[in-house]
Amino acid sequence: EVQLVESGGGLVQPGGSLRLSCTASGFTFSSAAMTWVRQAPGKGLEWVSAINSGAGSTAYADSVKGRFTISRDNAKNTLYLQLSSLNSEDTAVYYCANSRTSWWFIDDYWGQGTQVTVSS
């Protein structure tokens, strides 16, 4: 059973920083490209960032480019997202996922996500 457990969210002021973590199990994490997505209140999922299995290639949405950094520790089956220069548009529940998007429609696939709230 695939399990994804996100953590590290919280309340932060505009301009602040936060590091999110995702611990994965139930698949071979070290061979899997991984993705972060987010869901703002009342909106659909937005792709945020992705990283390949070896951590040598990364990609970011234009909205977060230059502010967020994705990384991973394959020995720990953990994916990270470093958030900086946060603004109100970053307020959302953040989820990690395998980059195989077909998995995203499996019942109970998603973790609980971690809430990031940017507010003064």
Side-chain angles (χ1 to χ4, degrees):
E1 179 182 348
V2 173
Q3 289 190 303
L4 302 165
V5 181
E6 299 92 346
S7 62
L11 176 64
V12 63
Q13 293 184 323
S17 299
L18 216 54
R19 189 176 80 155
L20 310 183
S21 298
C22 166
T23 300
S25 62
F27 62 98
T28 305
F29 179 83
S30 61
S31 299
M34 295 293 293
T35 292
W36 285 98
V37 299
R38 65 186 181 184
Q39 187 170 36
K43 298 184 178 180
L45 290 174
E46 177 189 13
W47 176 80
V48 174
S49 184
I51 187 169
N52 73 336
S53 61
S57 182
T58 60
Y60 301 91
D62 287 343
S63 58
V64 307
K65 192 173 300 180
R67 301 188 298 117
F68 291 8
T69 301
I70 190 170
S71 62
R72 66 193 296 159
D73 186 339
N74 285 343
K76 297 181 178 180
N77 280 14
T78 302
L79 179 73
Y80 303 98
L81 187 68
Q82 178 69 47
L83 294 71
S84 62
S85 301
L86 288 163
N87 59 64
S88 61
E89 298 297 319
D90 298 316
T91 294
V93 179
Y94 285 71
Y95 301 91
C96 65
N98 191 294
S99 292
R100 296 177 66 96
T101 56
S102 61
W103 289 23
W104 299 7
F105 303 94
I106 299 171
D107 288 347
D108 301 320
Y109 167 74
W110 298 95
Q112 83 285 359
T114 187
Q115 175 72 52
V116 172
T117 302
V118 184
S119 177
S120 60

